[in-house]
Amino acid sequence: MSIATVKTEPIHGQKPGTSGLRKKTQVFMQRHYLENFVQAIFDAIGGAAGKTFVVGGDGRYFNDRAVQVILRMAAANGATKAIVGQGGILSTPAASHLIRLNKTDGGIILSASHNPGGPDEDFGIKFNMSNGGPAPESVTARMLEAANSMSEYRIHEGHDIDLSALGTHMVGDMSVEVIDPVADYADLMETLFDFDAIRAAIAGGIRIRFDAMCAVTGPYAVEILENRLGAPRGTVVNRQPLPDFGGLHPDPNPVWAKLLMDEMFGADAPDFGAASDGDGDRNMIVGPNTYVSPSDSLAVIAANAHLAKGYADGLKGVARSMPTSGAVDLVARAKGLDCFETPTGWKFFGNLMDAGRVSLCGEESFGTGSDHVREKDGLWAVLMWLNILAKREEGVADIMAAHFREYGRNYYSRHDFEGLDTAKAEALLSDLKGRMGDMPGLEIDGMTIASADIFKYEDPVDGSVSDNQGYRIVFGDGSRIVMRLSGTGTTGATLRVYLERYVPGPDGLNEDPQVALAPIISAARDLSGMAAHIGRTEPDVIT
Ligand code: VG1
Ligand code: CO
C-alpha cells in the first residue's frame, strides 16, 4: 500500500450539527475539505486501525467521488475492511442495519438528507457508531476538536475501484465488499411485518402510491412494495435515484411532495400514499383526503404496533423529541408505557433503545422508527401503516377519526422561517430568553402562560446533559409554542416555530389545524417580537 501523509491546515466551520456536517457541495469539494473531516472522524473515534466500517450515501452529487476518497483514507488509516453499497449507495436506515448486522465498528454515511442535492446544493457526512446510531454529542465534539487542530491526513495513493461490481475488491491492504444495498434491509422488514397480510390486502384491491422523490428509497421501495408485496409496477413513482434528485426538494412534506398531495386529495385517489426523503429516513403518510401529521402518525403507531408481528409482544416504551406533539404521550399513558422527551435529532434516542427502555421513537419532522435499527426509517413507517391497514381492514381516515375520538386531538403545525440573517435570528431568541422569567402568569389572547423555559435534557442512561435545546412557552391548557434554530441548514438561519393545542373532543376534532391553532400562532408572533427582529411574520414553509 502506498500511503501519502498530506500536510493540511484546520478549516474553519467543520462543526457537526443536528445530523452530521452539512455544507454546500462546493464547500465539500474544496481542496482538503472532505479529507480533513474524514481524518477528524477517525481521530475522534480513536483511529481506524483494525476496524471495519460501512460506507454509503444517498447518491447525491459528489457521493461517488467522496466514497472513493473515504475508502482510500480508511485504508491508509489501517482499517481492515469496508462494506459498501453497490454504486456507493445506501439509505441511512439500511446503513444503520448493516453496521449492526455485520457487527462493524461503525459507518460513514454521506447525505444532506432532505436538503436538495447537486453541484450548487448541499452535501453532508456523518459517522454512526457500532450500535448503528449517529455519533453522540461527546463524539461529535471530539470531531470538531480534531478538525480544529488538523495538520495532516493519511490517504492511500491508488486508483478508484469499480463500485458497480458486487464482490470483494482491495484498496491498498483493506478489503472492500461491495454488496446489494437493498437485500439485507428488505429481509429485515420481512421479519418485522406481516408481508402475507399486506400482500393479501394489495391483492384485494388496496391501491398504494409511493413517491421516492428521485432519491435513495426508489430501489428499496420497488423491491419491497412491488417485487415482494405484489403492488403493481408503477406504484413507486420518481423511483430512479438521481444526483440532483431531478431538481426536486426531497423533503416528504405537503409542500415539497405536492404532486403526491394533489393525487391523494384528487378524484379517485389511491387508498394509501407515502413519500420519503433524500436518504430514506423520513416518511409522510397520506390517505385519500387525509393528511396524517407525523406526530399523530407516531401516536397511531404506538396504539397499533402490536398488530405487526415484530411488535406483537407490545412496546418497551416510547420516546419523542421535545417539539413533537404530546399525542404519543396519551397513548403511552393509556397503555402504561414509559414515555421519554428528548432533544431534536435521532442521536438522542440511541441510549434509550440500547438500554431496552424504548422500542418506538419519533419526531415531528417526518421521522419515525424503532429499535430494529438506530436511525429513523421511512419505509419502516410505510410498512407499519400498511400492516395496520391490512389488519384493521379500515382506511386511513377512519383510523385517524377513531384515534382522535379515543384520545382527543393534538392540533399541531410547524412554521419555518428560512434564510434569516443568523445574528437577527439569534437576537430574537436571546431577547425571548431575557423575557421568559416574567412570562408565567401573563395573559395573552385570553390564554394564561403557565411556564416558559429552555429545554435541557439529562440522558437517563448515561447522565450526559444537553443544554439549550429549544425555547418553550406552555399555556394553562397545555397548548405550547416551541422555538429553536435549525441545525441542518447550510445558508443563514432557519427559525422553527412549533405550535400545539390539545382538544379532548368529542367536539372540535375536525378543524383545519391552522384554524384550530390561530390563537397560538398569533401568540407566538407577539411573544417573539418577530416582526421587529426578522421583519416578517409569515413563514416560508408550513407543515
Ligand atoms: C431537522 C429536524 C430534526 C431531524 C433532523 C435530521 O433538524 O428538525 O427533527 O432529526 O433534521 O433529519 P433541524 O436541526 O434542522 O431542525 V434528516 O432526515 O435531515 O437526517
Ligand atoms: Co433524512
Side-chain angles (χ1 to χ4, degrees):
M1 175 158 61
S2 154
I3 299 175
T5 302
V6 180
K7 295 281 172 229
T8 183
E9 284 179 358
I11 301 175
H12 177 70
Q14 294 198 323
K15 185 182 194 309
T18 310
S19 183
L21 182 68
R22 293 189 188 171
K23 297 286 172 195
K24 287 287 166 209
T25 311
Q26 296 291 342
V27 172
F28 265 103
M29 292 174 73
Q30 280 166 28
R31 194 167 143 78
H32 299 326
Y33 196 95
L34 174 70
E35 291 85 346
N36 272 23
F37 192 70
V38 172
Q39 188 64 51
I41 291 176
F42 291 144
D43 293 352
I45 59 168
K51 293 182 178 173
T52 296
F53 298 111
V54 169
V55 182
D58 63 11
R60 70 179 60 222
Y61 186 84
F62 193 52
N63 187 96
D64 48 356
R65 297 299 320 136
V67 170
Q68 299 282 355
V69 169
I70 291 165
L71 293 177
R72 289 208 296 274
M73 288 188 64
N77 278 274
T80 37
K81 184 176 174 184
I83 298 171
V84 185
Q86 190 174 24
I89 303 279
L90 284 175
S91 78
T92 292
S96 181
H97 176 50
L98 287 169
I99 291 170
R100 298 163 63 77
L101 181 70
N102 296 289
K103 301 196 167 42
T104 67
D105 299 287
I108 294 181
I109 302 177
L110 304 168
S111 173
S113 189
H114 56 288
N115 299 10
D120 297 318
E121 298 293 351
D122 291 357
F123 193 77
I125 175 168
K126 68 172 177 173
F127 184 77
N128 281 30
M129 311 294 284
S130 59
N131 72 344
E137 283 189 325
S138 56
V139 177
T140 57
R142 285 209 297 275
M143 286 176 199
L144 177 62
E145 237 172 77
N148 282 342
S149 58
M150 189 58 54
S151 60
E152 58 184 39
Y153 62 82
R154 284 176 292 289
I155 187 160
H156 165 66
E157 293 182 308
H159 296 293
D160 284 359
I161 56 167
D162 180 6
L163 291 174
S164 67
L166 294 176
T168 303
H169 309 248
M170 292 306 288
V171 173
D173 297 338
M174 180 180 81
S175 70
V176 177
E177 194 185 339
V178 177
I179 58 156
D180 174 346
V182 175
D184 289 317
Y185 176 84
D187 291 349
L188 174 66
M189 292 301 116
E190 290 213 39
T191 68
L192 300 174
F193 300 110
D194 300 273
F195 273 42
D196 289 340
I198 301 173
R199 203 178 289 117
I202 291 172
I206 284 195
R207 288 180 307 141
I208 303 170
R209 171 71 66 235
F210 182 88
D211 189 341
M213 303 190 86
C214 300
V216 77
T217 33
Y220 294 84
V222 167
E223 170 63 13
I224 293 170
L225 300 177
E226 297 185 6
N227 298 348
R228 298 199 187 191
L229 288 169
R233 197 181 148 78
T235 293
V236 180
V237 294
N238 291 323
R239 57 206 276 147
Q240 178 67 38
L242 298 172
D244 66 349
F245 306 124
L248 296 176
H249 190 148
D251 196 352
N253 65 39
V255 176
W256 297 116
K258 186 166 183 312
L259 281 182
L260 176 69
M261 292 301 282
D262 288 348
E263 186 178 6
M264 295 309 296
F265 281 76
D268 196 30
D271 302 289
F272 180 78
S276 192
D277 71 332
D279 62 330
D281 57 359
R282 295 187 178 203
N283 73 90
M284 177 173 76
I285 302 295
V286 205
N289 292 307
T290 311
Y291 163 68
V292 181
S293 92
S295 295
D296 289 336
S297 174
L298 177 65
V300 168
I301 290 174
N304 293 279
H306 59 276
L307 299 175
K309 69 181 179 193
Y311 307 87
D313 296 338
L315 300 170
K316 291 173 186 150
V318 299
R320 63 165 170 84
S321 68
M322 185 274 282
T324 302
S325 97
V328 72
D329 304 36
L330 301 174
V331 177
R333 196 176 309 148
K335 290 187 173 280
L337 297 172
D338 281 343
C339 180
F340 296 87
E341 187 177 39
T342 59
T344 295
W346 209 261
K347 57 179 177 266
F348 294 102
F349 295 132
N351 276 347
L352 294 167
M353 290 193 270
D354 287 350
R357 307 271 292 265
V358 305
S359 41
L360 173 71
C361 305
E363 294 191 277
E364 51 65 41
S365 53
F366 300 83
T368 338
S370 87
D371 56 359
H372 67 291
V373 290
R374 291 294 181 275
E375 289 277 6
K376 54 190 188 272
D377 188 343
L379 268 171
W380 174 91
V382 169
L383 291 168
M384 178 61 94
W385 265 93
L386 286 172
N387 201 137
I388 293 169
L389 293 180
K391 283 290 169 74
R392 284 183 56 151
E393 298 182 355
E394 281 175 292
V396 175
D398 294 336
I399 289 177
M400 293 315 297
H403 188 90
F404 294 150
R405 272 199 306 277
E406 185 168 355
Y407 294 99
R409 179 166 181 182
N410 296 68
Y411 283 100
Y412 190 84
S413 182
R414 187 177 99 186
H415 290 195
D416 289 339
F417 298 79
E418 298 177 342
L420 304 179
D421 180 84
T422 306
K424 287 184 181 166
E426 282 169 355
L428 180 151
L429 290 181
S430 68
D431 175 32
L432 186 64
K433 183 178 177 179
R435 289 183 287 113
M436 275 184 147
D438 298 330
M439 283 188 185
L442 199 77
E443 207 178 288
I444 179 159
D445 290 341
M447 307 178 299
T448 309
I449 297 178
S451 67
D453 66 355
I454 300 178
F455 181 54
K456 173 177 170 179
Y457 179 64
E458 184 173 340
D459 187 304
V461 180
D462 67 13
S464 59
V465 173
S466 302
D467 270 330
N468 198 19
Q469 296 296 329
Y471 293 63
R472 53 182 180 184
I473 300 166
V474 183
F475 295 93
D477 67 352
S479 298
R480 291 195 304 166
I481 299 165
V482 174
M483 292 188 202
R484 58 180 282 282
L485 297 183
S486 159
T488 57
T490 57
T491 31
T494 294
L495 174 69
R496 303 204 193 285
V497 181
Y498 310 81
L499 307 143
E500 176 175 4
R501 185 180 144 226
Y502 179 66
V503 173
D507 298 324
L509 295 176
N510 268 320
E511 283 182 60
D512 172 343
Q514 300 307 318
V515 174
L517 290 165
I520 318 287
I521 293 169
S522 117
R525 281 177 190 165
D526 294 349
L527 289 166
S528 67
M530 61 173 74
H533 281 290
I534 58 172
R536 60 197 176 103
T537 53
E538 288 305 321
D540 299 286
V541 178
I542 296 180
T543 53

